[in-house]
Amino acid sequence: MKVLVTGGAGFIGSAVVRKLVSQQLADVVTVDALTYAGNMASLAPVMEAPQHRFVRADIRDGAAMASLLEKEAPDAVMHLAAESHVDRSIDGPAAFIDTNIVGTYTLLEAVRGYWSGLPLPRKEAFRFHHVSTDEVYGSLGPSGAFKETTAYAPNSPYSASKAASDHLVRAWHHTYGLPVVTTNCSNNYGPYQFPEKLIPLMILNGLEDKPLPVYGAGANIRDWLHVEDHADALWLVLTRGMPGQVYNIGGDAERRNIDVVRLICDLLDDLVPSGKSRHELITFVTDRPGHDARYAMDISRISGELGWRPRHSFESGLRQTVDWYLGNRNWWEAVRTGRYAGNRLGLGANGVSTAPAGAP
């Protein structure tokens, strides 16, 4: 089996590529435009593997996508290429519209053209897997969880752009018959995550005795999913999911943002003691505009139909993540010196701040 993975040099995409190649589950063609969040170093463990090939290309380039599909003749496409950070979408929504909506449309059309020309057995077996987010559902109250049937109510430019891309994928299935599966996941964490996100930012700031900025009172709740558990789920959905179906993927690990930060402080104090506790570095900052209160995922469909459940507890997964950042300083130092220095994002076009980014 050959799989083409878009956004394969990003955080989740590279985890998928490493899994498929290292476990010899498929031949993989990794496609990435290598924007700020794409990192070739995240593919280093599999870069030279004979069943892996990297292509630098942009999903917004329809001719390039059509040519690549004809040349590589994949059996499936896993679409993970996206602008993905809420704070960046507040500061610059245009890039999110361009990549997440126009890019997905362009890719869908290239894939539809390629798929239409396949012989019948390959045509029936082909899958287009669209990877999306729980943020398309909006915000939850103190109880309940998002189901696959929950109405969409996106509240940020990022989530609105992902909701639009989800609808495009659904339409291409129902209108043209393209065999698609869609997954909506909760907040990911783990090795190789770009350090603008909450967990790596807190780890790295804590290591450097910098402030640990927490939005508002830190009461916003997220369900945390280890990226390796997510990669496992994505492979199951690609190979065993029903065409046209949507699957929610979550970590069964709801935590308040402040509790996540405090646990990171405890781990850093234990693993790399400093002159003072990292808890003293916690700083509460002005909240993000339109900050959703709570996300939680009902994973009964993927558990019941495909037998998937997360392998990592949040505590064990977070410790593994902290250990990874401690042991891979070269990876994150290159990112922080080259593309992201820890400055705060998400204040809007006219916002000015020198404080680092905050919670998701």
Side-chain angles (χ1 to χ4, degrees), residues 11 41 105 164 176 208 211 237 253 290 309 311 313 317 330:
F11 171 46
Y105 157 74
Y176 304 113
E208 299 172 345
V237 170
R309 289 200 62 82
R311 294 181 290 111
S313 71
N330 288 342

Side-chain angles (χ1 to χ4, degrees), residues 89-112:
S89 81
I90 294 170
D91 289 342
F96 288 73
I97 305 304
D98 198 25
T99 297
N100 298 353
I101 302 177
V102 178
T104 297
Y105 157 74
T106 304
L107 179 64
L108 280 168
E109 280 294 86
V111 169
R112 181 166 73 94

Side-chain angles (χ1 to χ4, degrees), residues 335-358:
V335 172
R336 293 203 95 174
T337 56
R339 281 168 290 169
Y340 176 68
N343 52 301
R344 180 170 180 179
L345 308 169
L347 290 174
N350 297 319
V352 178
S353 175
T354 58

Side-chain angles (χ1 to χ4, degrees), residues 252-295:
D252 268 353
E254 287 184 61
R255 299 290 189 280
R256 295 188 308 162
N257 288 338
I258 185 60
D259 295 329
V260 173
V261 175
R262 287 170 177 161
L263 184 53
I264 292 170
C265 290
D266 290 339
L267 288 168
L268 290 174
D269 287 348
D270 179 44
L271 295 169
V272 280
S274 180
K276 62 180 181 180
S277 172
R278 269 69 174 210
H279 288 266
E280 298 179 34
L281 300 173
I282 294 174
T283 305
F284 294 96
V285 299
T286 303
D287 206 353
R288 163 198 289 162
H291 199 176
D292 288 339
R294 176 175 169 261
Y295 304 146

Side-chain angles (χ1 to χ4, degrees), residues 195-276:
E196 69 186 1
K197 298 298 180 77
L198 174 69
I199 286 177
L201 180 68
M202 295 300 117
I203 293 170
L204 302 188
N205 277 16
L207 282 175
E208 299 172 345
D209 289 325
K210 294 180 178 178
L212 306 181
V214 177
Y215 285 172
N220 303 73
I221 295 172
R222 299 294 181 261
D223 172 28
W224 292 96
L225 172 66
H226 195 286
V227 70
E228 293 168 6
D229 289 339
H230 190 194
D232 292 344
L234 294 179
W235 176 245
L236 268 179
V237 170
L238 178 72
T239 55
R240 293 173 49 192
M242 291 291 295
Q245 191 63 277
V246 177
Y247 297 89
N248 282 351
I249 306 171
D252 268 353
E254 287 184 61
R255 299 290 189 280
R256 295 188 308 162
N257 288 338
I258 185 60
D259 295 329
V260 173
V261 175
R262 287 170 177 161
L263 184 53
I264 292 170
C265 290
D266 290 339
L267 288 168
L268 290 174
D269 287 348
D270 179 44
L271 295 169
V272 280
S274 180
K276 62 180 181 180

Side-chain angles (χ1 to χ4, degrees), residues 28-77:
V28 177
V29 179
T30 298
V31 180
D32 203 292
L34 294 180
T35 58
Y36 75 95
N39 192 339
M40 293 294 287
S42 300
L43 295 169
V46 298
M47 198 63 192
E48 303 303 321
Q51 67 269 39
H52 177 255
R53 189 165 99 80
F54 177 82
V55 177
R56 184 170 185 173
D58 194 318
I59 61 169
R60 298 170 298 175
D61 186 338
M65 291 299 102
S67 175
L68 183 62
L69 287 162
E70 290 299 324
K71 178 180 180 179
E72 297 295 342
D75 302 294
V77 172

